Structures are given as C-alpha cells and as structure tokens.
C-alpha cells in the first residue's frame, strides 16, 4: 500500500440498540481501489456516510488526505466526490445545470466548470446529453452522470456506494470500465458492494464487513488462497455444502469419494466470506 | 464562510424557473377567491377607516402570501431531503451551514416576493392600486425573511414530510387568519390585540398596510420583524446539523 489517503481508526456507530459499526479500522493507499464487501445491513453504507460527513459517528477517527473530519470538516469535504447508492440528481434540471450546481458548491470558477463539464461528458460518453433534463435519462446514463458529477471538482478520493446496484449486467460492466479508467487517472476509489464479481474484477484490496465488524482485509487472491483454490459443492442431507482444496487434483480425489451430485469450480470471494462468517454476502 | 450560497440559491432559481408557469396560477387561486368573496362580494359596501375593504384587504393579502410562500420553502427542502436525497449533495459539499441557510432563505424570499407581486397585479385587476414605496417592499422582504428562516429551521428539525404539514396547520394557517390580514385588530378587545401583537405577521400586515396607505411607519413593526427574523435565521443555522442521522 502506498501512503494512506483514507485513514479510519476504531469507528463506532450505534442506532438505538443496534451496533451498526463496532471499532472498524482500515487504511486505503493513494491510487488504490478498495472494495468494502458485506451483506445488506453489514454497515457499508453507514461507513461511507460517516466518511462523507452525512452521518455523525459515535467514536473513532477519520482522516482524508491528512485532514481530520472533526477538526477540518470543509477541507475534508473538498477531498472527495461521492456517488451515492440512491440517485440524488435534480430530476427537473438539465445535465448541464446539475454539473454547474455541483461545481459552484465546490467553489469552482464558471469558466473552469464549463471546461470540466465538456471533459467529463466526453469521458463518460454522454456529450450529446448536455441539455437533456435528467428525468429523461435512462438508469445507466443517470449513474454515469452521478459519477461525472462526483468527479467535477477533480477529487483525490471517490466514494462509491453500491455503484452498480440495480443495473443490468451490460451497463454494470461499462460502469466497471469507467471506474478502472478513473483509477488509472490517479484517483483513489473506495467502493461498497455486495456483488462478489464487482469486488473481484475491480479491487486491489477487499475488506469483509459483517454485522458492523471488519472480518478480514487483503487482496482478493490472498483472501481466496487462505481457503484454497478449488471448491467442490455437494449435497448432504438435502443441504448444499462446500469443501475447499489447494489443487484441482485434491478436489478430483474428493469427488471420487462421494456418490454423485458434485460440482467442482474455482474458489471465489463469497467462499472466503462464508468460511470466515458462516454467512452469505448476497 | 458564505461561499457556496450561490449554488444553493441558483439551484432553487432553476427549479423556480421550470415551475413558474404552474406556480403563478396556483399562487393566484386563494387570493383571487379572498378578493372575490371577502373584498368584492361581502366587503363591497364596507369601509375600514378612510379606505374601502378591498383596499384594506390587499396589503393584508400581500403580507399573508409572502408569509405562506416563504414558509413553503420548507416543503421544497423536505422533498429534496426525504424523497430525492439532494440534501446529501449539500451536506457532503465544502460549504458552511451559514451558506446553505442563506441560499435557502433567499430562495424563500424570492418566492415570497413573486407571490406578493401576483397579489398586486390581481389587486390592479380589481381597480386597486396603492402606494408601493420602498417601505412597502422593505416590510414585505422582512416578513419573507422571518418566515423563510423559520421554514429552513423547521425543515431541519422535522423527521418526515407529514410532520411538516402539521407545522403548517398549527403555525401558518392560524397566523394567516389572525395576523391582521382580514380584519382590523382594533375591533378586538384589548387583551386580544395584545396577544396578536406577538405574531410577526401582525407587524408585517400593519407595516405593509401603513406603507401602502402612505400612513406614518411605526419603527416597532420593522424592529420586531428584523429581530424575529435574525432569531429564526440563527435557529436555522443551528438546526442544520440536526438533520444528520
């Protein structure tokens, strides 16, 4: 990991009797794509809302690009762009107006806003939509506009909360392409997801979050390698069970010991998550 | 400290521009009904002091419309907050609470100003043109400042859009009828007059009416509106953080 640009220590958040976050700590290096993976209700959105100043934390420390979220709130907010889970564009305004408002909120000059709007719409392949009213855009285009808006002020960090939730597979893959492009241009990306494939394809490092606690954090390859390379799914007492093996040969030998109904496949992040928590992600 | 208010204000102006063709008729309906029912039908042969009842009514309606439209910004904020999540965009931007409140209050005041203009045009259609001097506009703007600031503060404190409707029913509607809009307070017993002096709309209606009739202005009206407006503005600034979960 390079020099940390996101530093989180002992983050806690309580909603009534529910501990949404219990002492979560992690660091994300500059230029990294960091995936925060967990089932619904694990605390992913709560974390991202605290990091983006939308929700108050109960305890812990957060620093973004060296700025403390408590002591330097405005400087902190200038460091990131946010792609929220819910589309929060102004539906009655045009694409251009949405980007203009965001630029002004981030204290950009009008000329810089105009230039950046052109660049970003070209970048997101929607230059022909400048004057389109947002409510007339498709779901995929709204998502691209959300990303463009978050990048408007050229933030060092991009927070993405479930960036492809609800999108069809083709659009999801195109969004992945944009995310990789943004990282290659130098931004640090923190994304929450409950899509296994999304984390596997995009992330340099993955954190597992379960019931408000961080269970593990490493590269996808290391998290998976910790349980093996190959998985065998089999039925036992009408329940689907999985056994993990270091090599395909070992998996093959195991299949021979079972009567029938076995399938062999590569281990994925979901297997790693289940082996650590006993629960599925999705 | 206030950089960024232009973005908040400009957003509301964009929305206002898009909806203006629908808003102007909607702002006209209630005043038109009051003018026809109370001013033209009931009050045709009624005089209040040296003025016809219609002349008495129009400044009161201006004060009332500026109050209701300034306060209506709270509904806009709540829809943006609870349904569209646009409030998150402001909360995650590097702007101060002061800048956010200033932008929203100015938006409420703009709506109030336009709604007041609609009443004056309707009044002209009924043949009533009064004196619309600087004091008249000052009173209108101060009144809208009070209620736009109160609206932003309330919008930050309510937990649902339904709660907001309750506030309107309990605060704005009684004030609209009791704040000297439709009848002269001098008709009431002394204790009633004293009680209604506590309402900012009473002072707004009095100040607007005095200016429109070229009567001498009473400094106390302007001082009360300025003082209450500043308190409500402070309440709004202090309430912004409460809107966070």
């Amino acid at each position: 990991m390079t020099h940390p640009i996101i530093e989180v220590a002992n983050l806690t958040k309580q909603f009534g009797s529910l501990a949404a976050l219990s002492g979560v700590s992690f660091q994300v290096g500059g230029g990294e794509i960091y995936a925060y993976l967990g089932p619904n209700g694990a605390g992913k959105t709560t974390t991202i809302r605290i990091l983006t100043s939308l929700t108050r934390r109960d305890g812990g420390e957060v620093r973004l690009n060296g700025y403390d979220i408590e002591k330097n709130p405005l400087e902190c907010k200038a460091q990131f762009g946010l792609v929220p889970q819910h589309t929060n564009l102004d539906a009655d305004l045009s694409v251009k107006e949405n980007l203009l408002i965001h630029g002004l909120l981030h204290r950009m000059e009008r000329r810089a806003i105009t230039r950046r709007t052109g660049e970003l719409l070209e970048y997101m392949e929607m230059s022909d939509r400048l004057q389109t009213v947002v409510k007339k855009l498709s779901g995929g285009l709204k998502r691209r506009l959300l990303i463009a808006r978050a990048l408007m002020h050229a933030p060092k960090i991009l927070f993405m909360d479930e960036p492809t939730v609800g999108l069809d597979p083709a659009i999801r893959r195109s969004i992945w392409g944009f995310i990789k492009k943004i990282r290659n241009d130098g931004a640090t990306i923190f994304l929450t997801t409950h899509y296994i494939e999304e984390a596997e394809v995009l992330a340099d490092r993955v954190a597992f979050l379960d019931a408000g606690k961080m269970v593990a954090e490493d590269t996808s390859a290391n998290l998976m390698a910790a349980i093996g390379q190959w998985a065998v799914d089999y039925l036992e007492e009408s329940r689907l069970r999985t056994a993990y093996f270091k090599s395909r040969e070992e998996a093959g030998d195991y299949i021979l010991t079972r009567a029938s109904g076995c399938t062999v496949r590569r281990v994925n992040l979901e297997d790693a998550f289940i082996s650590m928590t006993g629960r599925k992600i999705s | 400290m206030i950089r960024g208010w232009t973005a908040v204000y400009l957003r509301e102006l964009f929305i206002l521009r898009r909806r203006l063709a629908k808003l102007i008729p909607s702002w006209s309906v209630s005043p038109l009904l009051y003018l026809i029912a109370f001013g033209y039908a009931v009050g045709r042969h009624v005089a209040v002091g040296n003025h016809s009842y219609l002349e008495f009514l129009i400044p009161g309606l201006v004060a009332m419309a500026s109050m209701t439209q300034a306060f209506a910004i709270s509904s806009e904020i709540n829809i943006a907050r609870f349904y569209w999540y646009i409030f998150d965009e402001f909360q995650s931007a590097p702007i101060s609470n002061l800048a956010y409140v200033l932008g929203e209050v100015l938006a409420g005041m703009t709506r109030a100003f336009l709604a007041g203009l609609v009443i004056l045009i309707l009044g002209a259609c009924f043949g009533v043109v009064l004196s619309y001097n600087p004091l008249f506009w000052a009173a209108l703007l101060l009144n809208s400042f009070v209620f736009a600031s109160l609206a932003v503060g309330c919008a930050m404190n309510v937990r649902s859009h339904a709660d907001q409707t309750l506030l309107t029913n309990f605060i704005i509607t009684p004030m609209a009828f009791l704040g000297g809009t439709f009848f002269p307070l001098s008709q009431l017993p002394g204790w009633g007059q004293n009680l209604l002096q506590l309402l900012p709309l009473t002072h707004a209606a009095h100040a607007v009416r005095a200016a429109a009739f070229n009567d001498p202005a009473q400094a106390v009206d302007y001082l009360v509106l300025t003082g209450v407006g500043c308190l409500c503005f402070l309440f709004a600034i202090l309430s912004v953080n409460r809107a966070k979960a």
Side-chain angles (χ1 to χ4, degrees):
Chain A
M1 188 182 69
T2 57
H3 180 71
I5 195 163
I6 303 174
E7 299 167 84
V8 175
N10 291 318
L11 199 60
T12 57
K13 178 68 184 176
Q14 195 87 16
F15 290 114
S17 59
L18 175 75
L21 293 173
S22 308
V24 170
S25 301
F26 60 86
Q27 293 189 335
V28 182
E32 198 177 8
I33 298 183
Y34 188 88
Y36 209 51
L37 199 62
N40 287 334
K44 304 187 298 293
T45 297
T46 302
T47 305
I48 222 166
R49 285 185 67 85
I50 290 174
L51 267 53
T52 54
S53 303
L54 296 177
T55 295
R56 282 191 291 261
R57 69 199 190 288
D58 292 335
E61 290 176 18
V62 177
R63 294 176 79 85
L64 301 180
N65 199 25
Y67 292 107
D68 187 287
I69 201 169
E70 188 76 38
K71 293 175 190 155
N72 315 98
L74 297 187
E75 289 82 355
C76 244
K77 288 177 180 180
Q79 305 304 312
F80 65 80
L82 170 64
V83 180
Q85 189 176 151
H86 300 286
T87 301
N88 70 344
L89 297 160
D90 261 309
D92 288 330
L93 303 190
S94 69
V95 168
K96 183 183 176 184
E97 287 165 344
N98 269 276
L99 295 177
L100 170 64
I101 298 297
H102 184 90
L104 291 174
L105 280 171
H106 285 265
R107 303 171 183 190
M108 293 172 70
E109 300 293 334
R110 286 275 185 144
R111 211 178 304 166
I113 291 172
T114 306
R115 192 187 63 242
R116 187 76 176 145
T117 297
E119 286 170 6
L120 283 170
L121 292 185
E122 196 178 322
Y123 190 76
M124 302 308 287
E125 297 164 13
M126 51 190 299
S127 295
D128 55 335
R129 305 292 181 150
L130 183 68
Q131 303 293 351
T132 306
V133 174
V134 165
K135 64 185 168 194
K136 292 184 179 166
L137 296 177
S138 67
L141 282 174
K142 281 180 188 162
R143 198 50 46 186
R144 277 198 242 168
L145 179 57
L146 277 173
I147 297 173
R149 189 184 68 176
L151 294 173
M152 189 72 190
H153 56 289
K156 292 189 169 59
I157 303 164
L158 185 61
F159 288 109
M160 308 181 92
D161 192 7
E162 303 274 5
T164 63
V165 72
L167 298 178
D168 68 47
I171 297 171
R172 181 174 299 157
R173 284 179 184 281
S174 85
I175 298 288
W176 290 351
F178 288 120
I179 293 173
K180 284 184 174 175
K181 203 157 85 168
I182 293 161
R183 192 276 297 274
N184 291 342
D185 288 342
T188 302
I189 297 173
F190 179 98
L191 68 91
T192 71
T193 183
H194 63 271
Y195 293 128
I196 301 297
E197 196 189 357
E198 189 157 285
E200 285 180 358
V201 168
L202 293 174
D204 299 309
R205 284 192 304 142
V206 176
F208 286 159
L209 193 73
D210 186 44
K213 290 180 183 150
M214 189 173 277
V215 182
E217 180 199 51
D218 210 329
T219 62
S220 297
N222 287 347
L223 287 168
M224 291 188 288
I227 57 165
Q229 297 288 335
W230 294 88
V232 174
D233 296 322
Y234 59 94
L235 278 173
E236 189 174 84
E237 295 167 354
S238 303
R239 288 191 65 183
L240 184 67
R241 295 181 188 281
T242 307
Y244 303 106
F245 301 93
K246 295 286 179 200
S247 68
R248 183 157 195 160
E249 288 70 33
E250 286 177 41
D253 291 344
Y254 182 75
I255 289 173
L256 292 174
T257 67
R258 304 211 61 90
S260 62
C262 295
T263 52
V264 63
R265 58 176 174 78
R266 283 257 181 206
V267 161
N268 61 32
L269 276 176
E270 175 111 42
D271 295 310
F273 190 86
I274 291 170
S275 76
M276 290 176 197
T277 65
R279 304 205 307 141
K280 283 189 167 189
I281 292 176
S282 49
Chain B
M1 282 295 283
I2 61 167
R3 286 186 73 178
W5 70 269
T6 48
V8 182
Y9 183 50
L10 191 62
R11 173 186 170 267
E12 296 288 355
L13 289 188
F14 281 151
I15 292 169
L16 192 61
R17 188 186 64 189
R18 284 244 148 71
R19 295 190 196 153
L20 203 56
K22 290 178 188 167
L23 283 174
I24 287 177
S26 93
W27 290 341
S28 308
V29 172
S30 294
L32 196 57
L33 292 174
Y34 291 137
L35 284 172
I36 292 170
F38 298 140
Y40 197 67
V42 178
R44 192 193 296 188
H45 305 293
V46 177
V48 181
N50 298 325
H51 300 278
S52 70
Y53 183 68
L54 202 56
E55 287 174 341
F56 175 85
L57 183 60
I58 282 171
L61 286 180
V62 168
M64 186 179 83
S66 66
M67 172 186 73
T68 51
Q69 288 312 314
F71 196 78
I73 195 74
S74 62
S75 294
E76 299 292 333
I77 293 171
N78 278 323
I79 290 166
R81 184 179 157 206
F82 294 121
Y83 298 113
W84 302 116
Y85 305 103
I86 292 163
F87 185 65
D88 287 358
E89 168 75 349
F90 295 130
Q91 283 290 285
S92 61
I95 61 166
S96 64
N97 291 352
L98 171 62
Y100 172 73
V101 170
L102 182 62
E104 293 291 8
V105 167
L106 286 173
M109 291 174 69
T110 305
R111 288 172 63 109
F113 176 77
L114 292 174
L117 273 183
V118 167
I119 308 284
L120 297 186
I121 292 167
L122 286 174
C125 293
F126 279 79
V128 178
V129 179
L130 301 167
S131 174
Y132 305 129
N133 51 49
L135 279 178
F136 175 91
W137 296 110
L140 190 154
L141 287 177
L142 276 175
N143 187 43
S144 59
F145 172 61
V146 169
F147 287 99
S149 301
L150 180 66
V152 177
C154 290
M156 295 295 104
N157 280 281
V158 297
R159 293 281 161 230
S160 70
H161 192 52
D163 290 350
Q164 187 66 47
T165 310
L166 283 178
L167 281 176
T168 305
N169 288 343
F170 283 112
I171 298 174
I172 298 303
T173 307
M175 214 179 310
F177 284 90
L178 299 175
T181 311
F182 294 103
F183 58 88
L185 295 188
S186 55
Q187 305 282 329
L188 294 176
W191 64 266
Q193 290 183 40
N194 291 336
L195 190 67
L196 295 184
Q197 288 297 326
L198 298 174
L199 304 179
L201 186 66
T202 304
H203 295 276
H206 188 258
V208 169
R209 195 168 278 131
F213 292 166
N214 278 323
D215 289 344
Q218 289 193 8
V220 68
D221 291 331
Y222 294 87
L223 287 173
V224 167
L225 289 174
T226 306
V228 174
C230 290
L231 283 176
C232 289
F233 193 78
L234 188 64
F235 163 64
I237 292 170
L238 296 175
S239 297
V240 173
N241 282 341
R242 289 177 60 87
K244 289 185 186 179

